Amino acid sequence: MTEIPTPGASHRETTPEGITIEWDVPIEMDDGLLLRADVYRPAGRGRFPVIMTYGPYGKGLPFQQGYQTSWEIMAANHPDVTAGSTNRFQNWEVADPEKWVPEGYVCIRVDSRGAGRSPGHMDLWSAQETRDFYDCIEWAGTQAFSNGRVGLNGISYYAMNQWQVAALQPPHLSAICAWEGASDWYRDVSHHGGILSVFISNWIPMQVRSVQYGRGEKGPRDPNSGLLVCGDETLTEEELAANLTDLGAQFVEHPLDDELYAERTPDLSKITVPVLSTGNWGGQGLHLRGNIEGYLRAGSTQKWLEMHGLEHWSHFYTDYGRRLQLRFFDHFLKGVDNGWQDQPPLQLNIRHVDGTFAVRAEQSWPLERTQWTRVHLDARDGSLNPEQPASPGAVSYDTTGDGASFTLGPLREETEITGPIAATLFVESSTADADLFLVLRVFSPEGEEVVFHGALDPHTPVAQGWLRASHRKLDEQLSTPYRPYHSHDEVQPLTPGEVYRLDVEIWPTCLVVPAGYTVQLDVRGKDYVYPGPAEHLSNMKNPMTGCGPFVHDDPRDRPAELFEGTVTVHTGADHPSSLLLPFIP
C-alpha cells in the first residue's frame, strides 16, 4: 500500500534500511507559530506508537559533530551502542531511529521554540515551552502514522521537560521514560542547598546559543537532510540575544525559591501515566536527586525506578538501557504481554569499588531493610563513632582551604551503603553566613581514594551535599530524618560566634565498601577537588576537577565578606553533630 505523507515536510526519503524520513515537518502551536520536526517511521502504510523528544539541541546536529569527545568515549567503551546502526542519525541524548523504527516505532524530534529550525523566543523550560510540548504530543497522537499512543524518551533536557508536560496530562500521552532528568528547578538545577550552581550559565552559550534559530549560514548544516541546522534566516547578534531569555542571569537574580522556579517545577502528583525514571549514582549536581524525587512523588500508580552508573549518556544507548526502554514502551504503547507487569518497582545497579555493578531488584525507596545508622562526629580526633562523644570538641577551618575531615573505620566487615544520607552539624561562623560543602569519601587501606566516572566527571566522589547556613529553615511537612527538605524561601543571617544546628541533605548514593576501607566525611567551604589531573569534554566550558560542570564559584553569589572566613564545627553532648548512613544488611 502507498504510505500517506505527512503534510508540509521539506522533503522525504526512504533509507535502504526501510525507514521513511520526513524532514522539517511543521507543527502549529496555539499562537500560530510553526515548530519544525523530523519524523522517522517505518516505510509503508500503518499506524505505530510514537517516541517523541522536544528540546533545544538542534535536531539536525549529529552527535558525532556537536559532542565529539562524548561520542568517542561512548563508542570506544560500549561497542554495542554503534553495532547494528549506520549511526548517521545519532543525535545528542535522543533515541537512534535505526534501532527503534525497525521495532515498529515512529521517532519524532522537535526543535523547541527558538532552537534549531523552529523560530520564536527561546525561554528554557518555561510554561510556554511546556504548552508547546503538549501541542506537539497531541499533533503526533492524531497523525495518520500514529496508533494514538505517544511515549516520551530522552536524556537530561529531554527528560526534565517530560515531568513538566506529563503533569499537564495530554490525552495522547501514554508513558514517559525520564532518563537522568532533574525534576526540581531550584534544588536540582539552579541552587544546591541554596548555593548557586554556575552550570546553566556555562551550558547556555556552549550548547544552546550555538544552535539557536537564526544563525543561518553561520551555523552547521545537517549532513543527512542538507538543511541548515539553525534555520535559513540569519539574524544579527542583537536579534539573537533578544530572542533568548538568559536563564543563567535570572538564576543569579532569584536566589530564593520563588515564582521563577515555580513556573518550571511541575506538580508531580498530577502525573498519572506510567513512569520509568532512571538516575545515575554519579549524577551529583543534576542527574540523580530529581529522578528519585520524581519517582517518589509522581501520582502514577504504575511507576518504576532504575539507577545505574557510567557516563551520563552511555546506558541510554547500550543494549542494557535500550532493552529496558523497549520492554517498557512495548508494554504500554503496544500492549505487549512481555512480563513488564512483573518488573520490580526498583532495579538498582549496585556499585562496587572496582567500578563494577550488580543488578538487583528492590521493592521500595529507601530500601525496606535499611539499617539506619547514626555515627557521631568527634572534633577532638576527627573520628566518626557509633557512640556520642562524652566530651565536647570543636574544630575550625578556613573556608578557602580543605575543611575538616571525620573518619569511620577501617571497617571490620564489608558494608553496603545504599540510599539517602543526612548530616546534622552544629556550626558557628566568623561571618553572617557560611556555605557548607559536604563530601562522603571512601579510601582503600593504602590510602587511595575511591572515585568513579560520574555522569560527567571521571573522578566523582561517593556522595556530595550542600547547604547555605542562612537557608537552614526546614519544610517540616516534606522533611524526613534521612532527607532534610529546605524551604529556601527566606534568608536567616547568622550572628558571628553563635552556634546553629544545620541539617544537610546529602544526595543518595550506592556503594559496597570492602572490609579494611575507611569512610570519610569532609566538611568544606568550597567545592570538592580531585587531587589528580583535570579532564575536558568538548561540550563543557570548565575542566573536570571532581564536580564536573556543577561548581559554585560565582563571586556575585559568594562574596568574600560573607563566605571567606572561619567555620567551627562543634561536637559532643551539647552539640551532637552526626551523620545518618543507610547500611544495607
Side-chain angles (χ1 to χ4, degrees), residues 9-182:
S10 167
H11 57 286
R12 299 176 180 86
E13 68 173 88
T14 299
T15 73
E17 295 79 23
I19 301 174
T20 292
I21 308 172
E22 296 172 308
W23 305 105
D24 231 30
V25 176
I27 307 176
E28 186 172 354
M29 298 297 99
D30 58 4
D31 59 357
L33 185 79
L34 295 181
L35 302 185
R36 295 289 172 173
D38 292 341
V39 179
Y40 301 79
R41 56 191 177 90
R45 202 163 184 168
R47 292 183 176 273
F48 308 94
V50 173
I51 300 293
M52 174 175 275
T53 49
Y54 168 103
Y57 291 139
K59 61 182 175 61
L61 181 65
F63 196 139
Q64 301 91 323
Q65 181 178 343
Y67 302 86
Q68 181 181 354
T69 54
S70 298
W71 173 261
E72 290 172 350
I73 291 170
M74 181 170 64
N77 293 341
H78 308 286
D80 54 326
V81 170
T82 57
S85 174
T86 69
N87 298 294
R88 65 185 186 276
F89 305 120
Q90 290 277 18
N91 273 52
W92 177 242
E93 299 190 333
V94 300
D96 178 6
E98 289 191 277
K99 292 193 176 182
W100 282 84
V101 174
E103 299 284 354
Y105 286 89
V106 177
C107 291
I108 300 179
R109 299 169 174 172
V110 185
D111 278 338
S112 58
R113 184 180 292 246
R117 293 187 61 82
S118 294
H121 181 91
M122 191 191 303
D123 191 3
L124 300 165
W125 292 299
S126 64
Q128 177 66 64
E129 268 205 356
T130 307
R131 288 195 299 270
D132 288 348
F133 200 179
Y134 180 110
D135 289 345
C136 291
I137 291 167
E138 291 307 291
W139 175 87
T142 57
Q143 295 305 297
F145 54 69
S146 173
N147 73 350
R149 296 180 180 180
V150 179
L152 307 180
N153 190 23
I155 310 174
S156 192
Y157 199 103
Y158 299 110
M160 294 163 71
N161 60 12
Q162 291 183 43
W163 302 116
Q164 294 176 304
V165 75
L168 298 185
Q169 301 179 358
H172 287 92
L173 181 62
S174 298
I176 66 172
C177 175
W179 199 276
E180 298 191 32

Side-chain angles (χ1 to χ4, degrees), residues 199-472:
F199 169 69
I200 292 294
S201 293
N202 292 335
W203 163 76
I204 288 175
M206 293 292 290
Q207 294 183 227
V208 176
R209 284 184 190 148
S210 56
V211 287
Q212 185 181 358
Y213 174 86
R215 296 210 171 272
E217 293 286 353
K218 296 179 182 177
R221 186 177 293 275
D222 183 349
N224 297 303
S225 69
L227 299 171
L228 290 167
V229 171
C230 303
D232 300 324
E233 187 178 6
T234 301
L235 303 178
T236 66
E237 290 300 318
E238 291 74 19
E239 290 172 320
L240 289 169
N243 274 346
L244 174 63
T245 297
D246 190 341
L247 193 58
Q250 289 191 334
F251 285 173
V252 175
E253 296 165 3
H254 292 258
L256 297 176
D257 187 9
D258 60 15
E259 68 282 351
L260 176 71
Y261 309 100
E263 176 186 345
R264 290 165 169 80
T265 299
D267 181 349
L268 295 167
S269 69
K270 293 183 178 179
I271 298 175
T272 57
V273 297
V275 174
L276 174 58
S277 177
T278 75
N280 191 317
W281 297 125
Q284 300 154 22
L286 191 60
H287 300 299
L288 168 57
R289 179 187 187 275
N291 279 105
I292 292 174
E293 291 289 320
Y295 164 76
L296 291 173
R297 299 168 70 179
S300 177
T301 59
Q302 300 181 94
K303 56 185 181 178
W304 291 265
L305 175 68
E306 186 273 350
M307 297 295 296
H308 55 263
L310 305 183
E311 308 87 354
H312 168 44
W313 52 87
S314 292
H315 261 324
F316 181 80
Y317 297 96
T318 63
D319 287 346
Y320 164 83
R322 184 174 52 83
R323 287 168 180 163
L324 183 73
Q325 300 157 35
L326 189 63
R327 287 181 55 233
F328 173 73
F329 284 119
D330 275 354
H331 185 69
F332 289 108
L333 302 189
K334 293 182 177 180
V336 177
D337 184 5
N338 58 8
W340 184 268
Q341 62 271 19
D342 299 321
Q343 176 75 12
L346 272 64
Q347 180 170 306
L348 307 182
N349 284 258
I350 305 302
R351 187 167 60 176
H352 294 259
V353 295
D354 62 356
T356 60
F357 296 86
V359 178
R360 191 174 75 205
E362 294 289 350
Q363 296 300 312
S364 67
W365 184 272
L367 276 57
E368 294 173 351
R369 64 187 184 283
T370 302
Q371 293 180 349
W372 294 106
T373 304
R374 189 172 296 279
V375 291
H376 299 268
L377 283 66
D378 191 339
R380 296 173 303 170
D381 60 2
S383 63
L384 292 168
N385 300 290
E387 303 299 327
Q388 186 172 284
S391 302
V395 59
S396 299
Y397 62 87
D398 185 327
T399 58
T400 62
D402 291 331
S405 298
F406 303 87
T407 301
L408 174 68
L411 300 180
R412 294 181 179 178
E413 58 185 9
E414 180 181 87
T415 304
E416 180 183 333
I417 302 172
T418 296
I421 302 168
T424 298
L425 302 178
F426 288 83
V427 168
E428 69 171 290
S429 174
S430 63
T431 70
D433 213 338
D435 282 349
L436 300 188
F437 296 76
L438 271 56
V439 189
L440 190 71
R441 306 169 74 184
V442 170
F443 291 87
S444 73
E446 294 73 35
E448 183 177 352
E449 183 175 7
V450 176
V451 293
F452 299 94
H453 200 304
L456 292 169
D457 200 298
H459 301 108
T460 300
V462 174
Q464 296 187 74
W466 308 263
L467 183 64
R468 176 158 290 173
S470 62
H471 286 231
R472 63 191 177 277

